[in-house]
Amino acid sequence: MRDVRRARSSALLSRGITVAQASLAAQEQQAGSLRDVSGSKPELRLVAAKLRRVIRGDVRFFLWLIFSAQAFGAGLDQYSQLVVNDSRATPRDGVRVTYLGTNGYQFEFKGHALLVDPYFSRVDLLSAAIGSRIQRNASRINDGLNHLAPKADAILVTHGHFDHLLDVPTVMAKTRARLVASASSVNLAKRAGASAGDAVKPGDVRRIGPWKIRVLPATHDRLFGKVPFDRHEQRSAGPPQRAADWICGEPLAFLIEVNGQRIYIDSGGTPAQLPPNERVDLAILGMALPDSRARLHTALERLHPRYILPSHQDDFFRPLSAGFQFGQLTDFPFVERECAKQNRSRLILLDYFKPWTLPAAVNPKSQTKGKIPIRKWKTKPSHVILKIGRSGSQSLCGRS
């Protein structure tokens, strides 16, 4: 079996190298053309040289990711004891959590659904790495939506990168859901075809159906010391076309309250911005990059969750139909060791499209007791809580 896996890995790596080399040759030819046109103009020669360096850097990074995926990639089989999902006998009156891949989730409660970062197109790594035009995959989106509720109350988006926001305009249209995101993400979604959006900022609260949603500040992990596409405004006026056009904007986290239970969700972050100092039932924490792992211990100390669900762990360049495989830059063994120190929390994993119902606390009052003081999350008096019905209309509920 190992020999078969090695052979497959070698074949895939060779194929990746061939594709990358072909792309490199084509793009270097473009850079060469620019160099030829430049003639004796030193400024154009400088541009051509920089372009060649960028192209080589992108392809080297792509080849490194391909090698990493084949050398270290693994599925959920070796962690089967951590994977949870509902059985046929599980009551359907609780809060159901369905994993959609990457940092995507559906929460369901009594006929209502709430989505976070739904992303099904799964743009391939080469297209993202070399700056090719990327677009939504209608077939994959439809396949993903077939597993979900036909209607959703809202879609929460943590930030504007393509693996979080690319599919949102289509999902909005098909589920009639309202977009709740930062102003930069709302603007980006509108340019990509979304009809509207509710721009929120940290400190805001929204009541949508049975959901109470608190908007919290967040940061984005750094990749090799830098946040990818770290801008708050898109450079071009038209719709986003390449991975770099899907800018990070202002990252957000959310604290969702429903059925007397509390779910915290982010897509990762740095130690500079930690979750609130409150107990939650379920902590969904992005764990794709080293920054998130560096803050994990402190984040868990502040949240004291009953359940810990590491997110953004899968290789989001692979189609969902290919099955779960850990991403190239993740380190799940470290996450497992760190979570083991929280003896009052249970580490779990979810597979694609296999719902799991969040169990009710045996003694909910016990969540208010502990060694650390509980700081109640507050909003400024001026913030207005909006209640948004399934039709999308808003009504004033009161002030917090």
Side-chain angles (χ1 to χ4, degrees):
M1 180 61 74
R2 289 183 179 178
D3 291 340
V4 171
R5 288 179 178 174
R6 287 196 188 100
R8 287 177 179 173
S9 297
S10 177
L12 286 169
L13 179 59
S14 298
R15 189 183 310 164
I17 292 173
T18 301
V19 173
Q21 287 176 337
S23 174
L24 176 63
Q27 294 192 52
E28 284 196 318
Q29 183 176 5
Q30 294 177 0
S33 299
L34 179 60
R35 178 188 56 200
D36 294 340
V37 171
S38 67
S40 59
K41 296 181 179 180
E43 63 276 10
L44 290 181
R45 287 201 302 273
L46 181 61
V47 169
K50 286 184 177 179
L51 178 59
R52 288 195 300 275
R53 284 198 296 272
V54 169
I55 292 170
R56 291 193 184 102
D58 283 343
V59 175
R60 280 199 299 270
F61 180 60
F62 165 73
L63 291 175
W64 178 82
L65 285 175
I66 284 287
F67 172 75
S68 299
Q70 305 312 318
F72 305 112
L76 293 174
D77 292 345
Q78 60 182 307
Y79 300 108
S80 58
Q81 75 280 5
L82 300 177
V83 179
V84 296
N85 59 270
D86 287 345
S87 67
R88 291 184 179 179
T90 304
R92 299 301 172 90
D93 56 351
V95 181
R96 293 216 306 169
V97 184
T98 302
Y99 183 43
L100 317 181
T102 315
N103 196 55
Y105 293 89
Q106 175 182 257
F107 303 108
E108 295 174 276
F109 180 66
K110 292 187 176 180
H112 289 264
L114 182 69
L115 299 174
V116 177
D117 290 354
Y119 172 61
F120 306 110
S121 291
R122 312 283 278 206
V123 171
D124 66 275
L125 176 57
L126 179 59
S127 296
I130 64 175
S132 297
R133 182 176 180 178
I134 62 175
Q135 41 193 341
R136 295 185 283 272
N137 187 311
S139 176
R140 291 180 179 178
I141 294 175
N142 288 333
D143 288 344
L145 291 177
N146 285 336
H147 294 275
L148 306 183
K151 294 182 180 179
D153 294 319
I155 299 174
L156 311 182
V157 173
T158 57
H159 62 281
H161 286 157
F162 71 89
D163 54 318
H164 298 258
L165 190 57
L166 175 67
D167 291 347
V168 166
T170 300
V171 177
M172 287 175 64
K174 291 182 177 292
T175 64
R176 288 180 263 174
R178 183 181 183 85
L179 172 62
V180 178
S182 68
S184 57
S185 291
V186 168
N187 182 52
L188 199 55
K190 287 181 178 179
R191 292 187 181 189
S195 57
D198 183 8
V200 295
K201 58 185 179 300
D204 286 348
V205 179
R206 295 291 185 267
R207 292 186 184 274
I208 308 175
W211 320 97
K212 180 180 178 181
I213 302 162
R214 300 177 178 183
V215 184
L216 303 173
T219 55
H220 193 286
D221 307 63
R222 296 163 297 179
L223 180 62
F224 304 124
K226 184 179 180 181
V227 175
F229 314 132
D230 188 21
R231 298 193 303 278
H232 283 256
E233 293 183 3
Q234 190 179 350
R235 288 175 179 170
S236 60
Q241 297 186 0
R242 296 169 177 78
D245 295 332
W246 294 90
I247 58 176
C248 181
E250 181 181 18
L252 300 174
F254 300 97
L255 185 58
I256 302 164
E257 298 184 31
V258 64
N259 193 35
Q261 297 173 309
R262 291 141 62 87
I263 300 170
Y264 173 84
I265 181 167
D266 63 29
S267 69
T270 68
Q273 182 65 63
L274 293 168
N277 196 1
E278 293 188 48
R279 297 184 187 277
V280 300
D281 294 277
L282 173 63
I284 303 177
L285 302 169
M287 286 287 119
L289 296 172
D291 274 341
S292 288
R293 297 190 286 273
R295 73 169 188 151
L296 177 58
H297 177 77
T298 306
L300 294 179
E301 281 189 334
R302 295 172 68 87
L303 293 169
H304 280 272
R306 291 195 295 124
Y307 294 90
I308 306 166
L309 176 54
S311 188
H312 221 316
Q313 290 282 279
D314 62 331
D315 182 351
F316 59 88
F317 296 108
R318 288 164 50 91
L320 289 165
S321 58
F324 184 104
Q325 180 170 295
F326 282 95
Q328 299 91 323
L329 300 178
T330 61
D331 186 355
F332 188 74
F334 171 87
V335 173
E336 192 175 23
R337 292 192 301 271
E338 200 63 48
C339 291
K341 300 175 184 178
Q342 300 289 326
N343 55 13
R344 288 180 293 179
S345 303
R346 178 183 172 187
L347 175 65
I348 61 171
L349 289 170
L350 297 181
D351 202 353
Y352 300 146
F353 305 124
K354 294 183 179 179
W356 169 72
T357 298
L358 176 61
V362 176
N363 182 10
K365 291 183 179 180
S366 65
Q367 291 198 35
T368 62
K369 300 177 182 179
K371 297 180 180 179
I372 60 173
I374 305 301
R375 299 178 186 171
K376 291 191 175 181
W377 194 93
K378 297 181 179 179
T379 58
K380 297 180 180 178
S382 60
H383 286 166
V384 176
I385 301 177
L386 297 178
K387 188 170 184 178
I388 304 172
R390 296 182 70 89
S391 64
S393 61
Q394 299 181 0
S395 61
L396 186 63
C397 280
R399 296 181 184 271
S400 58

